[in-house]
Amino acid sequence: MIIGLDVGGTHADAVLLSKQGLERQIKVPTDTSNLFETVLTGFNYLLEDIPIGKIKRVVISTTLTTNAIVQKKFNTVGTIVSSGPGIDPEWYRTDANYHAVGGSIDHRGRERKPLDHEEILAIAHRMKEKNITILGVIGKFSVRNPTHELEIRDLLKNQFETIFLGHHVSGNLNFPRRIATVHLNASVYEIHRDFFHAVKNSLEQKGLQIPIQILKADGGTMNLESSMAFPAQTILSGPAASVMGSIAYAPGDMDAMVLDIGGTTTDIAILVDKVPLLEPLGIRRGKYKTLIRSLKTHSRGIGGDSHVRVEKGKLKIGSGRLGPAMAFGGPVPTPTDALIFLKKMNMGDPLLAQKGIDSIAQALGIDPEAAAQAIFKKTCTMILEQAQALIHRINTKPVYTIHEFLAGYAIDPQKILLLGGPAPYFAQEIEAQSGISTEVVPASSVANAIGAALARTTCEVSLLADTEQGKAMAPEEDFTRKISHKFTEEDAVEITHDLLLKKALKSGADIEDMAVEIIEYQKFNIVRNFSPRGKIFKVKMQVKPGLIKAYDAVCHHCTINPDIEKGI
Amino acid sequence: MLKAAHKTGLVFFPAFDWAIDPTHPEREERLLYTQDQVTEEGIFDIEGILELKPDLISNQDIQRVHFCIPDEETITTESHLISAGGAVAIAQAVMEKRIKRGFALVRPPGHHAMRISHGGRGFCHINMEAIMVEYIRRHYDVKRVAIIDTDCHHGDGTNDIYWHDPDTLFISIHQDGRTLFPGSGFTGELGGPNALGSNLNIPLPPGTATEGYLYVLENTILPAIEAFKPDIIVNSAGQDNHYTDPLTNMKFCAQGYADLTRLLKPDIAVLEGGYAIEGALPYVNLGIILALAGLDYSRVVEPDYNPEKLQQAPQVTEKIKKTVDIINTHWKNRHKMRESAGTPGDIQERHREIYYDTDNILERQKEKVRICRECGGTFEVESTAMPGSRVLAIHIPQYACHHCQEKGYEMYDRAPKNKYDKVLLQDKPRDMYVTKQ
């Protein structure tokens, strides 16, 4: 059996799955001041009277790190960056303990200027005086040559408890994002470590010996051990859980749109042949631009509890949420009130809902029925507009080769999958407005927890081979190998594939769940003065996000037992 | 947070799968290191810098500029259409005020491609800047255009296309034609009789350094632009003046390029040549992008930059000053020169030979232009290419007067079909391109 647990901002969903389907499910209100208690409550219910040996897998998704970032509950960290020529690194200052030092590596990974050890030791000394124990070290082009980062680590390893290095977070280029990503990892490290050690200990006390898997923003999992080096990968795993929960219902061979309609926001994601689209570089939210692998999910401020009002004679919905619907004692009318007024939804206090709708009707000068219809339709229209805008943005993304340009694959969804509380009430209207076949994901209120439970372990590896310099390297994996001029495309792919499998297994993947693909491949001839000097190969491979094989039939049984939901 | 002072658009199309041939300088690898540098710097994450997607241009877009012989499909590849499309995408965004300025980092280049194109010259088949300029003249309210070509090679293609156009100020600064391909671009090359002085060619001696480039910019180019009052400024941004370029002999650097861009303030920059792909392009392109966006570029310095080695010799400085004086005199006398260039209504003839180094073609041209004070003047060119065909190409300019429009059709109707493989007419006022064969 498998346990999936998704702790969200307002409540946590937990499910127990067997090969027969959904065995147990529970919703627990989230206690943001004590997430550990929330998690334990979920586990206690799921594990009641279950022989512990039957549990083969546990996957947890939490808002722990997301909250820490939003509330700035960081541990203090020191940051050392080495940039060389280019944009002034002062622009990427993270906080007061950020120091730019000399030294330079160029785009081919050649050292152009050595590090100044005296300078670095002096900075470390100042950090020690401030009792800083966690350090981030980031070099420009360190993914081309990590020696400067390693040199700084070796120089300072006895002075700090933990040192995070830039070249470990991603094979992608982008120095500012590398700085931000290392800083996030270092900043949430302690809170992540303490929390999961507590969870692990209490599960061990219950006799659970299997490794815990943690959900990442890319919709894949990693084991607890791997997560300690990259705790920031757990941010925004919530939206990823929902997307993973919808995959089983997506059609193969065509594109689908996933709309997770919540109270405050709607999260939009795209599936191509059952595989979710990823952000090209990494999570980008507000001022945070990172190299954290993530599903492409766009969160937009329109949901069941969005603030409905009339401005200058026009109906406005969102983007804020001022409270629950009036039918549930909230302060202002919401789309949920319209659903209740229209008798589409049979919950809350219909009189309070009517009061809200009446006020809108009056301001618009129309009858309440028409006002409620207008709110209902406009909510659907706005959700669809946001989804279309996302698809447009994806389809107008620049490409860099003639082949890609002419191939020009454009996303064209043939299916809409709806998730979230209000989803069932909107389905018909969304289908009518969009003209796209729309389906509500079964057990949609816990689809997120099911998605977490069944997500496979994912990872990515980037290899750069340069036959002129005679080396192949994957700095993320601390891998370097000498190569000859005879090195071929096949060699490059084979090395990358080996590294990927090794990494996936180390992160807790099952050998039968290796859905491997090449996501980037480029080859260049290096020519100087009209004569070939060598070749550059760039290969990037991933284990793509998806569901574990052993349980792929489970989702189709998830509706058999609708009465088992237990609320606390 | 880093924020661009001017909203700046970039089209980045490195065409990683296109080359003239595997060891040619114009090959897949050319923008690889630039892409690495620009990506590592996180340029596309900077607020106010937008990455735009190029569109393919159409045959009609090419026909507004070129006579492609035998036809557009034969002498272009998709890469050319996307490259020109990149320039057009930037221009559209500027005209529609989505961005203030933009830079098309595209390849292949185009500034050696002339109005009649039988194939490849100096790695160019069609002219990206001209296609872009004529596109915006057709679709937006733009008439007067300044094109400043800062590639180290004379922009002879663009020069040829705007030779007779008084509404385009074309200025090329380049290494002296006696020492470098294509061997033209001397101070006396000032344009056709109706557009004398609206073409300025500024040859610079080998060894010109940043000091010299900025001297020419401040003492000739900027004053000429100010007097010309263009609606739009285009920079053909070749990067082969760099001190490490393998094909040229200059001493320009990344800081110099960024300074030049900051002072020139082009609305649209289009990448041309530049073949020091590792040591120069990553830094020069970064400098240009930051300068366009109004961001600090003071730390964009080549790793091997050594100011002492990049000093300009005194005799080079002297030579540049003399050239600038000559150009300024021509510019001052431009109206007088046009007055005395001939009698309106007369026909003036010009003969020349053009060598296509990339495709090894020799072309002979006989050109006849109608002297006109009202417009650029209709002209016809009899062109014979070896190997290749013999054609007669007639051009009626965009803002042609009534007489010149009539003259164009007269030339077309009168042309004996049996003498040419093809007779072609570019009717710019009607945006038409007609042929008979």
Side-chain angles (χ1 to χ4, degrees):
Chain A
M1 287 197 278
I2 298 182
I3 285 175
L5 194 138
D6 178 29
V7 184
T10 50
H11 56 258
D13 295 308
V15 293
L16 179 68
L17 301 172
S18 71
K19 290 203 173 170
Q20 279 69 50
L22 185 54
E23 297 286 341
R24 290 181 183 179
Q25 66 181 85
I26 185 176
K27 255 188 201 310
V28 187
T30 301
D31 178 355
T32 36
S33 62
N34 195 347
L35 285 182
F36 179 65
E37 262 316 303
T38 310
V39 169
L40 266 200
T41 313
F43 274 110
N44 286 339
Y45 169 72
L46 294 182
L47 292 173
E48 219 176 286
D49 308 325
I50 299 281
I52 202 80
K54 283 192 160 184
I55 307 296
K56 300 295 177 210
R57 190 172 201 244
V58 172
V59 184
I60 301 175
S61 157
T62 75
T63 49
L64 181 79
T65 47
T66 315
N67 287 349
I69 290 162
V70 172
Q71 296 161 11
K72 297 199 188 313
K73 280 187 188 156
F74 294 150
N75 42 268
T76 311
V77 300
T79 306
I80 293 177
V81 301
S82 164
S83 78
I87 293 173
D88 188 345
E90 184 54 34
W91 285 107
Y92 310 120
R93 170 171 290 284
T94 48
D95 52 36
N97 304 307
Y98 172 97
H99 301 270
V101 300
S104 163
I105 302 274
D106 78 3
H107 45 80
R108 284 284 294 282
R110 291 164 301 208
E111 182 184 69
R112 303 312 290 248
K113 216 183 232 173
L115 293 167
D116 175 354
H117 287 201
E118 294 301 314
E119 181 188 19
I120 293 160
L121 287 169
I123 288 166
H125 183 72
R126 271 186 279 160
M127 287 184 184
K128 294 300 288 176
E129 282 176 347
K130 288 178 160 182
N131 295 318
I132 291 170
T133 58
I134 296 171
L135 180 68
V137 176
I138 308 99
K140 191 179 280 182
F141 287 115
S142 65
V143 293
R144 291 277 187 267
N145 177 357
T147 51
H148 279 185
E149 287 183 2
L150 295 169
E151 198 177 317
I152 296 176
R153 181 195 61 189
D154 291 345
L155 193 64
L156 303 180
K157 65 182 170 200
N158 297 326
Q159 304 192 41
F160 293 87
E161 218 173 85
T162 311
I163 301 180
F164 289 87
L165 302 183
H167 68 276
H168 284 155
V169 298
S170 164
N172 288 329
L173 293 172
N174 195 315
F175 181 53
R177 286 188 182 225
R178 192 175 309 125
I179 295 172
T181 308
V182 167
H183 184 69
L184 282 180
N185 276 321
S187 300
V188 299
Y189 169 68
E190 285 184 340
I191 194 169
H192 177 84
R193 179 195 62 193
D194 296 349
F195 177 79
F196 278 99
H197 281 161
V199 171
K200 190 176 173 227
N201 287 339
S202 71
L203 289 182
E204 273 170 8
Q205 276 165 26
K206 291 179 196 295
L208 201 71
Q209 294 299 334
I210 50 155
I212 300 171
Q213 294 276 328
I214 299 170
L215 194 69
K216 303 181 293 175
D218 73 350
T221 70
M222 58 181 168
N223 57 23
L224 189 57
E225 202 182 2
S226 306
S227 78
M228 290 305 158
F230 311 103
Q233 287 199 8
T234 62
I235 68 171
L236 295 178
S237 62
S242 300
V243 176
M244 298 315 289
S246 70
I247 283 182
Y249 310 99
D253 298 330
M254 58 169 96
D255 306 338
M257 207 148 66
V258 181
L259 305 176
D260 182 2
I261 306 172
T264 317
T265 58
T266 294
D267 291 338
I268 306 159
I270 308 291
L271 304 176
V272 174
D273 190 12
K274 286 174 168 284
V275 179
L277 287 192
L278 291 167
E279 283 289 350
L281 270 179
I283 288 176
R284 184 176 178 161
R285 279 286 190 290
K287 71 179 178 107
Y288 289 102
K289 296 185 181 111
T290 73
L291 291 172
I292 299 167
R293 243 169 82 96
S294 161
L295 297 190
K296 197 167 192 70
T297 56
H298 277 236
S299 193
R300 290 293 175 263
I302 174 88
D305 296 341
S306 291
H307 176 196
V308 177
R309 66 216 177 267
V310 176
E311 274 173 16
K312 293 182 187 150
K314 285 215 168 109
L315 188 63
K316 289 261 175 201
I317 306 176
S319 58
R321 174 189 190 265
L322 304 185
M326 284 179 75
F328 297 99
V332 291
T334 69
T336 302
D337 291 312
L339 291 173
I340 292 166
F341 179 90
L342 293 168
K343 301 199 168 48
K344 289 178 187 293
M345 188 173 164
N346 197 8
M347 283 158 103
D349 182 342
L351 287 176
L352 289 173
Q354 180 163 8
K355 203 176 130 197
I357 300 303
D358 281 347
S359 71
I360 297 294
Q362 215 163 28
L364 287 172
I366 54 177
D367 65 69
E369 175 75 22
Q373 280 292 349
I375 295 167
F376 172 62
K377 292 205 157 132
K378 187 168 175 144
T379 306
C380 295
T381 309
M382 287 175 68
I383 288 170
L384 283 169
E385 276 171 4
Q386 294 295 352
Q388 294 300 346
L390 171 65
I391 289 167
H392 177 75
R393 269 203 305 282
I394 293 170
N395 286 343
T396 52
K397 187 180 98 62
V399 295
Y400 299 136
T401 61
I402 296 160
H403 174 75
E404 283 177 287
F405 186 95
L406 298 176
Y409 183 78
I411 304 289
D412 180 21
Q414 304 290 315
K415 180 100 192 169
I416 294 177
L417 296 168
L418 292 184
L419 291 158
Y425 315 110
F426 288 121
Q428 215 183 352
E429 179 64 20
I430 283 182
E431 180 167 87
Q433 283 194 21
S434 64
I436 299 171
S437 154
T438 302
E439 190 184 321
V440 179
V441 171
S444 80
S445 68
V446 288
N448 49 337
I450 297 172
L454 300 182
R456 65 167 85 105
T457 302
T458 58
C459 60
E460 179 184 292
V461 167
S462 309
L463 182 90
L464 179 80
D466 183 330
T467 65
E468 191 195 20
Q469 297 190 51
K471 65 178 181 183
M473 54 187 298
E476 282 173 277
E477 318 313 315
D478 283 326
F479 170 88
T480 336
R481 182 184 293 172
K482 278 195 176 152
I483 56 169
S484 77
H485 263 80
K486 290 180 187 145
F487 191 82
T488 63
E489 177 175 341
E490 288 75 31
D491 297 332
V493 171
E494 193 186 320
I495 292 181
T496 317
H497 190 247
D498 289 350
L499 287 169
L500 186 72
L501 291 195
K502 218 166 95 223
K503 185 176 188 176
L505 290 174
K506 199 177 148 220
S507 310
D510 192 317
I511 193 77
E512 71 169 27
D513 281 315
M514 298 291 182
V516 170
E517 66 176 350
I518 297 176
I519 46 180
E520 224 178 275
Y521 174 78
Q522 289 178 329
K523 185 179 106 178
F524 297 91
N525 292 318
I526 305 168
V527 181
R528 296 294 171 268
N529 298 321
F530 294 90
S531 63
R533 290 271 191 81
K535 288 189 171 75
I536 289 178
F537 299 89
K538 289 181 174 180
V539 186
K540 191 178 282 181
M541 289 176 95
Q542 69 162 344
V543 178
K544 56 187 173 187
L547 306 182
I548 54 175
K549 271 192 193 141
Y551 281 76
D552 60 359
V554 171
C555 290
H556 295 288
H557 304 298
C558 280
T559 49
I560 54 166
N561 198 354
D563 306 323
I564 52 176
E565 181 162 350
K566 182 182 168 185
I568 288 184
Chain B
M1 200 172 68
L2 208 48
K3 193 179 167 194
H6 318 288
K7 208 165 191 188
T8 302
L10 300 175
V11 162
F12 192 75
F13 193 76
F16 283 149
D17 48 359
W18 186 87
I20 287 182
D21 67 56
T23 59
H24 196 281
E26 190 51 62
R27 65 174 183 279
E28 299 94 334
E29 183 197 1
R30 197 177 143 218
L31 288 179
L32 174 63
Y33 311 108
T34 291
Q35 188 197 33
D36 283 354
Q37 188 77 35
V38 166
T39 311
E40 177 70 352
E41 297 288 349
I43 284 292
F44 297 117
D45 284 337
I46 296 174
E47 201 187 329
I49 293 187
L50 270 73
E51 189 176 14
L52 305 171
K53 189 179 179 174
D55 283 319
L56 283 170
I57 54 155
S58 66
N59 279 352
Q60 200 192 5
D61 297 327
I62 300 174
Q63 289 162 354
R64 274 189 206 105
V65 172
H66 292 290
F67 297 100
C68 292
I69 314 299
D71 52 44
E72 291 75 23
E73 287 77 11
T74 309
I75 66 159
T76 62
T77 63
E78 280 89 4
S79 188
H80 296 99
L81 306 184
I82 303 170
S83 187
V88 169
I90 292 287
Q92 284 175 317
V94 169
M95 298 316 298
E96 287 160 14
K97 301 202 182 335
R98 281 179 279 136
I99 54 174
K100 174 94 167 68
R101 299 166 175 181
F103 185 14
L105 284 118
V106 291
R107 53 177 290 270
H111 77 146
H112 294 305
M114 298 187 171
R115 185 172 296 281
I116 295 178
S117 180
H118 289 275
R121 288 188 73 244
F123 321 163
C124 305
H125 292 73
I126 54 171
N127 194 301
M128 312 311 163
E129 290 87 342
I131 288 170
M132 181 262 289
V133 166
E134 297 314 306
Y135 182 93
I136 57 176
R137 276 185 169 151
R138 167 56 45 191
H139 295 282
Y140 303 93
D141 185 24
V142 168
K143 186 177 181 189
R144 292 175 78 74
V145 176
I147 303 175
I148 314 303
D149 188 319
T150 51
D151 190 279
C152 198
H153 301 85
H154 173 220
D156 58 347
T158 319
N159 201 177
D160 173 72
I161 291 166
Y162 292 107
W163 190 252
H164 295 297
D165 181 2
D167 296 308
T168 302
L169 172 65
F170 174 75
I171 306 179
S172 177
I173 48 171
H174 45 262
Q175 185 174 326
D176 193 323
R178 279 168 297 202
T179 59
L180 192 67
F181 177 88
S184 54
F186 299 101
T187 52
E189 297 171 33
L190 294 160
N194 305 324
L196 277 165
S198 71
N199 289 269
L200 299 176
N201 281 297
I202 311 176
L204 299 173
T208 301
T210 301
E211 178 195 340
Y213 282 95
L214 297 182
Y215 180 84
V216 173
L217 182 72
E218 285 171 333
N219 292 286
T220 292
I221 300 176
L222 292 179
I225 291 175
E226 207 189 312
F228 184 76
K229 296 192 177 37
D231 300 321
I232 202 155
I233 300 173
V234 177
N235 180 204
S236 291
Q239 309 187 344
D240 40 7
N241 302 290
H242 195 265
Y243 64 88
T244 61
D245 196 276
L247 308 182
T248 66
N249 317 90
M250 299 307 221
K251 291 180 169 179
F252 210 27
C253 62
Q255 281 292 310
Y257 268 105
D259 284 340
L260 181 141
T261 307
R262 176 175 53 85
L263 294 166
L264 183 61
K265 301 186 189 72
D267 299 288
I268 300 160
V270 180
L271 179 67
E272 284 294 339
Y275 300 93
I277 61 177
E278 274 197 68
L281 263 60
Y283 307 102
V284 171
N285 279 314
L286 180 62
I288 292 178
I289 293 168
L290 294 177
L292 279 175
L295 292 164
D296 169 48
Y297 53 78
S298 59
R299 297 171 68 115
V300 181
V301 181
E302 301 84 343
D304 58 0
Y305 177 75
N306 181 348
E308 274 163 41
K309 278 194 186 162
L310 299 176
Q311 297 277 348
Q312 187 169 290
Q315 66 272 25
V316 169
T317 308
E318 247 347 273
K319 177 84 185 130
I320 293 170
K321 282 189 173 158
K322 272 190 196 145
T323 305
V324 161
D325 291 343
I326 295 170
I327 295 291
N328 286 349
T329 310
H330 286 323
W331 175 249
K332 209 170 76 192
N333 295 334
R334 64 192 183 280
H335 300 296
K336 250 189 263 167
M337 286 193 294
R338 281 179 215 171
E339 303 268 308
S340 52
T343 314
D346 280 4
I347 296 290
Q348 227 176 61
E349 245 185 73
R350 177 166 75 133
H351 295 257
R352 51 190 195 134
E353 278 185 0
I354 296 152
Y355 179 61
Y356 291 65
D357 62 324
T358 305
D359 283 349
N360 200 16
I361 297 168
L362 183 68
E363 181 197 3
R364 287 220 169 82
Q365 284 194 1
K366 188 164 90 183
E367 179 196 86
K368 290 178 181 170
V369 61
R370 181 180 185 271
I371 306 281
C372 187
R373 301 268 186 275
E374 315 296 319
C375 68
T378 284
F379 60 85
E380 61 164 43
V381 184
E382 193 182 291
S383 159
T384 313
M386 292 161 287
S389 46
R390 178 186 177 90
V391 300
L392 184 74
I394 300 146
H395 172 86
I396 304 174
Q398 176 86 61
Y399 310 105
C401 67
H402 179 67
H403 288 299
C404 282
Q405 295 199 29
E406 280 188 342
K407 182 75 191 169
Y409 278 90
E410 190 191 313
M411 287 168 161
Y412 183 73
D413 293 337
R414 222 182 38 202
K417 262 193 280 187
N418 52 6
K419 196 176 163 194
Y420 304 106
D421 294 311
K422 230 182 205 179
V423 180
L424 312 99
L425 171 70
Q426 224 168 28
D427 179 351
K428 297 275 293 181
R430 290 183 190 80
D431 200 25
M432 269 168 39
Y433 186 82
V434 287
T435 59
K436 61 177 183 183
Q437 52 190 0

